[in-house]
Amino acid sequence: MLRSKITGTGSALPEKILTNSDLERMVDTSDEWITTRTGIKQRRIAAEGQFTSTFAVEASRSALAMAGVKAEELDLIILGTVTPDFPFPSTACIVQHEIGAVNAAAFDLSAACSGFIYGLSIADKYIRCGDAKKVLVIGAEVLSRVVDWTDRNTCILFGDGSGAAVVEASQGDCGILSTHIFSNGSYWDTLYQPGCGNRNPATSEQTIAERLFYIKMEGNDVFKHAVRAMEEAACTALSANGMTPADVSLLIPHQANRRIIDATAKRLGITEEDRVVINLHNYGNTSSASIPISLDEANRSGRMKTGDIVLLDAFGGGFTYGSALIRC
Ligand code: COA
């Protein structure tokens, strides 16, 4: 059976670390509050001269090296991001140029924290229908430049980085079993960046006066919806494949908040620590990069063995949510 299979993963993070103690000196917060409410201890922050494409390129090169695929063999590059280098051209085109993927079509995809799962879903469909053989899927963000560093409700949550995966056509039982993507646009203004699109242009006085270029979020609403949506996405993937949570070797959830991850895992009955990938204490919420960074870390540390069932589960602004079930 023709399937798509992840044959290489990579990730890239800025060197600069911003700890909770550093944040204590910037806003009225404490390490204790951030740790108990979110589980986050530190996050990585891009330096001057580093952009979303900087990390996307590094993660992509690493994923291509692991897969043993040359950039010119790629048919498609899909890059999930809400913090592109420019409104246009796409950051995917910049990555294409930098890595030398001269035969690929390249585009960005806006699905916030679900961007990587959305991209994986498109890659899977292109491969299964025979229109592509090798696809590079990337999640990359520099959220630190759209975070209001005077707003303690949001600035404690986010970080920068990128993860990437090479997805290839493959025959057999292993690979991506299914992907499922969902949206609920009724909540589009619950988590968003009001300024810098054409409703509130970057140049308008209102955008500047009301600080509309920064992320705005109703944290409690997001929290409640995230847990329900991630459970729904996970259960859809399992039932589509005649499986139950007991079949899952490893859950790789979007890394937004430790309490969201714990609540989702508890609802699914996947409570053992070694069955859930958690790294948000190190990186915070890196939006579309969070799942591919986690996937790469799990892959490189030997947590994904042949035959294992891995469940990717995402939620983000839009709202968007989605899942992917993989047999390693
Ligand atoms: N430090 C200290 N106190 C803070 C704070 C901070 N960084 N941020 C908020 N507070 C205060 C609030 O002002 C509030 O004070 P009050 O009771 O005097 O009004 C109190 O802490 C409780 O705030 P609340 O918003 O109810 O806290 P919470 O338990 O809901 O946690 C979030 C807040 C943001 C951590 C939580 O709602 C969350 O994680 N939501 C999801 C966000 C998310 O994941 N977004 C991305 C999704 S992809």
Side-chain angles (χ1 to χ4, degrees):
M1 181 179 179
L2 179 64
R3 284 194 192 284
S4 55
K5 192 176 176 189
I6 295 175
T7 54
T9 58
S11 54
L13 291 142
E15 274 175 27
K16 186 182 170 193
I17 293 172
L18 186 75
T19 65
N20 291 351
S21 314
D22 295 329
L23 280 168
E24 285 176 354
R25 291 188 284 278
M26 296 162 66
V27 288
D28 181 15
T29 192
S30 65
D31 173 41
E32 198 266 332
W33 193 97
I34 302 171
T35 306
T36 52
R37 301 289 177 122
T38 73
I40 299 165
K41 297 297 282 183
Q42 60 181 46
R43 65 288 292 143
R44 301 296 185 94
I45 305 292
E48 211 178 308
Q50 292 184 313
F51 315 108
T52 295
S53 61
T54 313
F55 305 108
V57 165
E58 193 184 328
S60 298
R61 287 196 174 122
S62 169
L64 286 165
M66 185 190 285
V69 169
K70 294 193 190 76
E72 55 265 37
E73 294 175 57
L74 292 171
D75 302 306
L76 198 56
I77 299 174
I78 307 170
L79 189 150
T81 188
V82 289
T83 51
D85 285 21
F86 306 106
F88 74 92
S90 69
T91 304
C93 279
I94 298 171
V95 173
Q96 176 199 17
H97 171 67
E98 292 285 329
I99 65 175
V102 289
N103 297 307
F107 63 92
D108 286 0
L109 186 158
S110 174
C113 306
S114 309
F116 182 78
I117 299 281
Y118 269 58
L120 202 60
S121 186
I122 296 169
D124 183 47
K125 308 291 183 224
Y126 257 90
I127 286 172
R128 281 185 198 237
C129 80
D131 278 358
K133 288 199 166 55
K134 295 176 201 275
V135 183
L136 178 63
V137 184
I138 311 162
E141 308 284 358
V142 174
L143 291 160
S144 60
R145 295 198 186 128
V146 294
V147 159
D148 184 348
W149 292 104
T150 66
D151 175 13
R152 68 176 184 174
N153 290 296
T154 52
C155 75
I156 56 155
L157 296 173
F158 299 101
D160 303 335
S162 176
V166 175
V167 188
E168 293 188 66
S170 149
Q171 296 286 339
D173 290 338
C174 296
I176 297 174
L177 301 180
S178 65
T179 62
H180 308 269
I181 59 173
F182 310 89
S183 305
N184 184 351
S186 326
Y187 296 94
W188 67 266
D189 57 355
T190 308
L191 172 55
Y192 76 130
Q193 185 190 358
C196 302
N198 62 69
R199 280 206 201 190
N200 299 301
T203 47
S204 89
E205 279 175 24
Q206 192 193 4
T207 300
I208 295 161
E210 295 176 18
R211 304 169 75 78
L212 299 181
F213 27 72
Y214 293 129
I215 294 174
K216 310 280 184 217
M217 181 185 72
E218 303 294 335
N220 286 314
D221 280 351
V222 173
F223 192 105
K224 277 181 261 167
H225 283 95
V227 175
R228 276 191 230 121
M230 286 174 73
E231 182 190 19
E232 183 192 329
C235 290
T236 304
L238 291 170
S239 63
N241 292 282
M243 292 189 195
T244 71
D247 296 305
V248 175
S249 319
L250 203 59
L251 171 66
I252 305 187
H254 170 49
Q255 309 283 313
N257 181 316
R258 177 71 199 242
R259 290 187 295 142
I260 293 176
I261 296 174
D262 288 349
T264 305
K266 192 172 165 202
R267 280 169 177 236
L268 293 171
I270 303 176
T271 47
E272 302 87 339
E273 264 180 34
D274 61 347
R275 289 175 70 202
V276 186
V277 174
I278 293 174
N279 59 23
L280 89 170
H281 48 285
N282 287 327
Y283 310 129
N285 180 350
T286 57
S287 192
S288 66
S290 110
I291 287 185
I293 291 171
S294 307
L295 182 68
D296 185 46
E297 288 192 350
N299 193 14
R300 285 175 194 269
S301 62
R303 287 183 80 178
M304 292 163 52
K305 296 178 190 66
T306 305
D308 276 0
I309 297 294
V310 177
L311 175 57
L312 312 184
D313 196 6
F315 175 84
F319 292 141
T320 58
Y321 50 111
S323 55
L325 201 66
I326 297 167
R327 183 181 285 116
C328 299

